Amino acid sequence: MSPDRLYGALTSLGLRQEEAKILFLGLDNAGKTTLLRMLKHERLVLHQPTQFPTSEELSIGKIKFRAFDLGGRQIARRAWPDYYAKVDAVIYVVDACDRERFAESKRELDALLSDEALAKVPFLVLGNKMDIPHAASEDELRYHLGITDFTTGKGKVNLADQTARPLEVFMCSVVRRMGYGEGFEWMSQYIK
Ligand SMILES: Nc1nc2c(ncn2[C@@H]2O[C@H](COP(=O)(O)OP(=O)(O)OP(=O)(O)O)[C@@H](O)[C@H]2O)c(=O)[nH]1
Ligand SMILES: [Mg+2]
């Protein structure tokens, strides 16, 4: 996706009075911090596992929103619920190559999806690391996350006719800068 389209996708976030609050969640090693750094600095940086929650104002073009990177290690996950109030969107990152942990990732995603505090919040699931040849396909990831029947479609939505919680899967590679822009574009339709 071109920077212009990504910019366009995020424009709606910038029209708000307050910053949108977006949580970056998912297991450790999924690529959350790498994505955040890429969005913020447009370059690839290597990271230590995130030990403490961080929050940053992100701007892409003139658009600002606040992103919370809470860390995905088991101990860090315990703090996730402290951040659920007034969330505008959740970006749930999955390592699409780490099949051994799909079940664990599904458990955490299920817990998030069934949390009352996040009941109406749009979820963008990013299947990351598509640049690695044995990465799972989008269908495979949907299947293992158990959300095949719950995703709401990638097209433009009629917000007035919205009964199901917005939930979609986009495959991406943060290191190749592919895929997540389309995901943001989809998600931005739901952020009012
Ligand atoms: N091949 C490949 N590796 C990636 C990609 N995105 C991230 N990684 C690598 O995945 C590893 C983990 O990335 P992080 O961004 O630190 O993961 P995290 O989700 O923040 O992990 P925690 O902080 O422990 O929750 C790093 O070695 C990254 O370089 C990608 O698109 N492709
Ligand atoms: Mg991290």
Side-chain angles (χ1 to χ4, degrees):
M1 168 179 276
S2 69
D4 279 357
R5 262 185 81 200
L6 183 55
Y7 176 89
L10 292 166
T11 300
S12 65
L13 304 183
L15 298 175
R16 298 158 48 97
Q17 297 282 308
E18 293 167 53
E19 284 177 336
K21 176 179 174 187
I22 300 182
L23 302 185
F24 284 58
L25 302 176
L27 302 185
D28 48 293
N29 203 49
K32 301 176 294 294
T33 307
T34 310
L35 173 60
L36 205 54
R37 293 285 131 193
M38 185 64 95
L39 290 169
K40 192 160 169 100
H41 301 294
E42 294 188 8
R43 65 190 167 88
L44 195 64
V45 186
L46 287 179
H47 305 284
Q48 300 298 318
T50 303
Q51 305 227 23
F52 302 103
T54 56
S55 111
E56 315 226 32
E57 192 173 81
L58 266 186
S59 39
I60 296 178
K62 291 183 192 146
I63 313 310
K64 291 199 174 80
F65 59 95
R66 184 155 289 276
F68 289 78
D69 178 10
L70 304 182
R73 295 189 312 161
Q74 193 101 47
I75 192 160
R77 285 178 225 161
R78 287 190 217 145
W80 288 2
D82 298 346
Y83 294 83
Y84 294 171
K86 296 191 176 160
V87 172
D88 293 290
V90 170
I91 298 180
Y92 191 80
V93 186
V94 184
D95 179 343
C97 297
D98 197 355
R99 288 181 172 76
E100 285 184 6
R101 298 186 75 194
F102 284 171
E104 183 186 359
S105 190
K106 175 186 180 351
R107 273 199 305 279
E108 295 297 345
L109 178 61
D110 284 347
L112 291 165
L113 291 172
S114 60
D115 196 295
E116 198 56 38
L118 298 173
K120 298 202 169 117
V121 173
F123 271 62
L124 166 60
V125 177
L126 291 178
N128 190 26
K129 311 196 187 180
M130 281 306 284
D131 53 287
I132 299 176
H134 66 269
S137 69
E138 185 175 318
D139 283 347
E140 187 182 349
L141 191 63
R142 266 176 220 277
Y143 172 78
H144 286 289
L145 295 178
I147 54 177
T148 304
D149 296 332
F150 302 105
T151 51
T152 46
K154 291 186 177 177
K156 203 156 170 49
V157 292
N158 177 0
L159 286 176
D161 181 31
Q162 202 60 46
T163 43
R165 166 225 297 283
L167 169 65
E168 257 312 330
V169 180
F170 286 78
M171 303 310 282
C172 74
S173 165
V174 178
V175 302
R176 295 260 171 93
R177 305 187 186 196
M178 282 168 44
Y180 53 86
E182 284 79 358
F184 273 97
E185 187 169 41
W186 171 83
M187 191 190 71
S188 65
Q189 303 180 78
Y190 297 97
I191 298 180
K192 292 167 273 268

